[in-house]
Amino acid sequence: MNITEAKEQIQNAMRAYFTKDTFGNYRIPVERQRPLFLMGPPGVGKTAIMEQVAAELGVSLVSYSMTHHTRQSALGLPFIEKKHYDGGEYSVSEYTMSEIIASVYEIMEQTSIKEGILFLDEINCVSETLAPAMLQFLQYKTFGRHRVPDGWIVVTAGNPPEYNNSVREFDIVTWDRLKRIDIEPDFDAWKAYAYKKGIHAAILTYLNIKKGDFYKIESTVDGTSFVTARGWMDLSDMMQLYELNGILVDEKLIGQYLQDRRIAKEFAAYYDLFNQYKSDYQIGQILDGKASKSIKERAKTAKFDERLSLLGLLLAGVMEYLRNICLTERMITELLGACRVVKTNLSHLNIKCALDKQIEQINDSTQKGRLASSMSEDVEYAHYHAAAVLNEMKKRIAGKSPIDSVEAFQLIKEEFDQQTKECKKQVEDAGIRLSQVFTFCEEVFGDGQEMQILVSELNISYYGMHFISRHGCKEYVAHSTGQRVDGYQDENFIGIEDIEL
């Protein structure tokens, strides 16, 4: 199955494992909760899946690579304890708590989140001395005498033996204690994740043209050449930082991440061409509805690969606006909740103390969420910026002569109203630019294949569908008969049109 299907399987298993009966006990006892085993080639996205699942379910995530552990670090160190049996005193071997189990308890202590995922990667590459203990762990969730706490799901992962010489083949007894999920590389499934992560537009458009270059591992007389999903993601991060700092992105850099000579060379050539298209087509002018006649004529006569590159540039340009809208609306939703609490607390706290308390709570929640890996990047952004706005409100009040709580809260409301006013303007601007993309494509490409690709790419884009489901886009509706967008609603998110303080 692909990465999207695997993620769904993991989430379903976790919901089942977390289900409790009327007495608060887990319906499936901990001992019978089979650990999940993700089997897939290296760099396919197994770790990324777990990070997404933890953030979306709001549970903690503790990760370990088992190749780095010895029997002592996994099981704990021995020590001598005095015990009394039948009137006699005896020296008995005990073990300190496993480093892995201790990490789980430490996260619970620091974050107060009692449910989570213990993710053990490369579990089929453990040392020979540790292998017997792993079988006990997979069945009873214990290292030595210490057990994984209730409410924690064990997920493991490993590579097939053809990709790793250190792999130890599991026997039937071991496989019969695991819930196995086989993952295969699939560009179309990865692309939805890539859009949300903001993968460089040049990478997405190149892979749309050459899907076969998304994932490749090949052994030759010169060694092993490979390209993985992880390689493309890490390259994207570096390309964006190089561009931000005015550093040249060249084949030397690309080859450090795409370790296949042909693919690195071809992508480097495409990247140069992509930048040429970016300059020639003046994407900002198209988004503003000011595309020149010469640009439209060139697009009409362009070859299909150039048209795909142009669509990628247009999507990247408008997606920046749509993403910013989503993040700003999330921030305002967080800010609204904080301001309402501040207003409620004014009966027994002065305005400064009420604001300080909310800022402290938001920062504490953010810190715990990051520590537990239970918070998505978008929610983290909303928390940070909501706290920053509350700080600005506090400064604004402090700059005034002594005022009572009613006057102080009026200043808070004015600042809040200004934030929502600016957000509504951003929504309007983003909607206009999205419409301009459709208008340009209608004029240049008509209702042909390019228009279908535009709609298809928006369908798999989280921020595109999030915006359209909340604010609409009549051009999208006109070209996407039968498409549903209601699946992108978030019940914990308040749309800007619903805001009232």
Side-chain angles (χ1 to χ4, degrees):
M1 63 184 72
N2 61 43
I3 191 170
T4 302
E5 294 167 335
K7 177 181 170 183
E8 183 179 1
Q9 289 292 319
I10 295 166
Q11 289 176 320
N12 290 341
M14 291 187 63
R15 291 188 180 100
Y17 287 165
F18 285 149
T19 302
K20 297 179 180 179
D21 61 22
T22 54
F23 302 104
N25 300 314
Y26 290 102
R27 295 287 296 270
I28 301 180
V30 173
E31 294 79 7
R32 290 183 48 229
Q33 292 179 1
R34 289 193 177 199
L36 282 71
F37 184 95
L38 311 183
M39 175 70 87
V44 76
K46 297 185 290 292
T47 303
I49 289 177
M50 301 317 306
E51 292 171 350
Q52 293 174 63
V53 170
E56 291 176 16
L57 295 182
V59 299
S60 295
L61 174 66
V62 173
S63 301
Y64 274 95
S65 175
M66 294 308 296
T67 55
H68 301 156
H69 280 275
T70 63
R71 185 175 186 276
Q72 288 75 22
S73 62
L75 293 174
L77 296 174
F79 65 92
I80 303 301
E81 181 73 35
K82 295 295 184 181
K83 297 281 188 179
H84 293 85
Y85 300 116
D86 197 23
E89 183 179 80
Y90 300 90
S91 296
V92 179
S93 294
E94 294 280 358
Y95 283 86
T96 58
M97 181 175 282
S98 160
E99 174 190 332
I100 297 173
I101 303 296
S103 295
V104 172
Y105 279 104
E106 187 174 347
I107 286 291
M108 292 171 63
E109 186 74 21
Q110 293 174 343
T111 66
S112 301
I113 300 175
K114 300 303 181 183
E115 294 182 325
I117 304 167
L118 175 57
F119 179 55
L120 305 180
D121 199 4
E122 298 179 318
I123 196 172
N124 56 348
C125 297
V126 298
S127 64
E128 187 175 351
T129 56
L130 181 55
M134 289 308 305
L135 179 59
Q136 178 189 6
F137 174 77
L138 294 176
Q139 182 172 6
Y140 298 108
K141 317 296 189 301
T142 61
F143 276 128
R145 297 184 62 180
H146 303 283
R147 187 164 67 89
V148 176
D150 290 351
W152 279 72
I153 306 302
V154 177
V155 181
T156 63
N159 303 137
E162 60 266 30
Y163 296 107
N164 192 328
N165 293 330
S166 302
V167 166
R168 305 173 63 85
E169 290 281 7
F170 286 166
D171 54 25
I172 295 176
V173 174
T174 304
W175 281 125
D176 198 35
R177 288 173 168 81
L178 296 172
K179 180 177 168 62
R180 176 169 171 165
I181 300 175
D182 289 286
I183 305 175
E184 298 292 337
D186 184 321
F187 170 65
D188 289 328
W190 177 80
K191 187 162 58 172
Y193 170 74
Y195 267 123
K196 190 171 184 182
K197 293 293 288 185
I199 297 298
H200 198 290
I203 291 176
L204 285 172
T205 50
Y206 173 83
L207 292 176
N208 269 325
I209 298 168
K210 297 190 175 184
K211 294 183 179 181
D213 289 350
F214 169 61
Y215 195 98
K216 178 183 177 183
I217 297 180
E218 183 179 30
S219 296
T220 67
V221 293
D222 298 322
T224 301
S225 62
F226 60 93
V227 175
T228 68
R230 182 192 296 126
W232 286 112
M233 288 189 60
D234 292 345
L235 173 61
S236 171
D237 291 341
M238 192 59 70
M239 288 170 61
Q240 290 170 346
L241 291 174
Y242 267 46
E243 291 172 351
L244 182 65
N245 289 281
I247 305 173
L248 177 67
V249 175
D250 57 16
E251 188 178 339
K252 293 178 182 178
L253 171 71
I254 292 169
Q256 295 164 19
Y257 294 89
L258 310 181
Q259 299 188 43
D260 180 286
R261 189 174 301 173
R262 177 193 63 79
I263 295 177
K265 187 177 185 65
E266 290 185 7
F267 177 69
Y270 176 79
Y271 175 72
D272 292 338
L273 186 62
F274 183 85
N275 283 329
Q276 186 63 51
Y277 292 151
K278 186 176 182 179
S279 174
D280 292 350
Y281 278 105
Q282 302 175 21
I283 300 302
Q285 294 290 313
I286 297 175
L287 295 179
D288 289 338
K290 300 176 181 178
S292 66
K293 184 177 179 180
S294 61
I295 286 177
K296 294 177 182 177
E297 288 300 320
R298 174 173 174 176
K300 286 180 181 180
T301 59
K303 293 182 179 179
F304 186 66
D305 283 1
E306 183 172 334
R307 293 184 177 195
L308 281 181
S309 298
L310 174 57
L311 285 173
L313 285 163
L314 291 171
L315 282 163
V318 76
M319 210 61 70
E320 184 176 350
Y321 288 93
L322 304 185
R323 178 178 183 272
N324 288 337
I325 291 300
C326 181
L327 296 179
T328 302
E329 289 187 327
R330 285 185 181 278
M331 182 275 289
I332 289 178
T333 301
E334 182 71 25
L335 185 62
L336 173 65
C339 288
R340 284 175 172 168
V341 174
V342 168
K343 184 177 182 180
T344 302
N345 287 340
L346 289 181
S347 61
H348 60 279
L349 292 174
N350 65 47
I351 192 74
K352 181 180 179 301
C353 290
L355 285 169
D356 282 339
K357 185 175 181 180
Q358 283 307 296
I359 293 169
E360 182 182 355
Q361 287 183 358
I362 290 174
N363 288 336
D364 182 61
S365 173
T366 306
Q367 183 179 5
K368 288 180 177 179
R370 291 191 66 185
L371 186 63
S373 299
S374 60
M375 181 176 289
S376 70
E377 293 179 2
D378 288 2
V379 175
E380 185 178 328
Y381 173 96
H383 279 218
Y384 274 129
H385 283 258
V389 173
L390 290 172
N391 267 311
E392 289 300 316
M393 290 176 174
K394 190 173 71 171
K395 291 178 183 177
R396 184 179 179 187
I397 292 170
K400 299 288 184 179
S401 56
I403 53 178
D404 61 28
S405 294
V406 174
E407 293 173 310
F409 190 78
Q410 183 59 36
L411 293 176
I412 288 177
K413 187 177 186 307
E414 289 174 5
E415 178 64 29
F416 180 85
D417 289 344
Q418 182 61 31
Q419 292 287 333
T420 59
K421 181 179 179 181
E422 292 175 1
C423 186
K424 288 176 180 178
K425 181 62 167 62
Q426 291 177 29
V427 169
E428 182 181 346
D429 291 344
I432 290 172
R433 284 168 172 79
L434 181 58
S435 293
Q436 290 296 347
V437 170
F438 275 98
T439 300
F440 176 84
C441 290
E442 285 172 350
E443 185 173 344
V444 172
F445 305 128
D447 202 22
Q449 186 176 1
E450 294 81 6
M451 183 62 75
Q452 296 173 24
I453 291 172
L454 173 61
V455 171
S456 176
E457 295 300 296
L458 284 170
N459 285 342
I460 65 171
S461 162
Y462 174 83
Y463 296 113
M465 287 294 94
H466 190 98
F467 181 89
I468 292 170
S469 68
R470 295 191 173 279
H471 305 291
C473 176
K474 64 180 186 296
E475 293 85 0
Y476 169 86
V477 173
H479 292 281
S480 57
T481 304
Q483 297 291 340
R484 291 175 59 88
V485 298
D486 55 340
Y488 286 79
Q489 297 283 358
D490 182 348
E491 62 183 10
N492 297 317
F493 181 88
I494 302 175
I496 194 67
E497 66 280 357
D498 302 320
I499 292 291
E500 182 180 345
L501 179 59

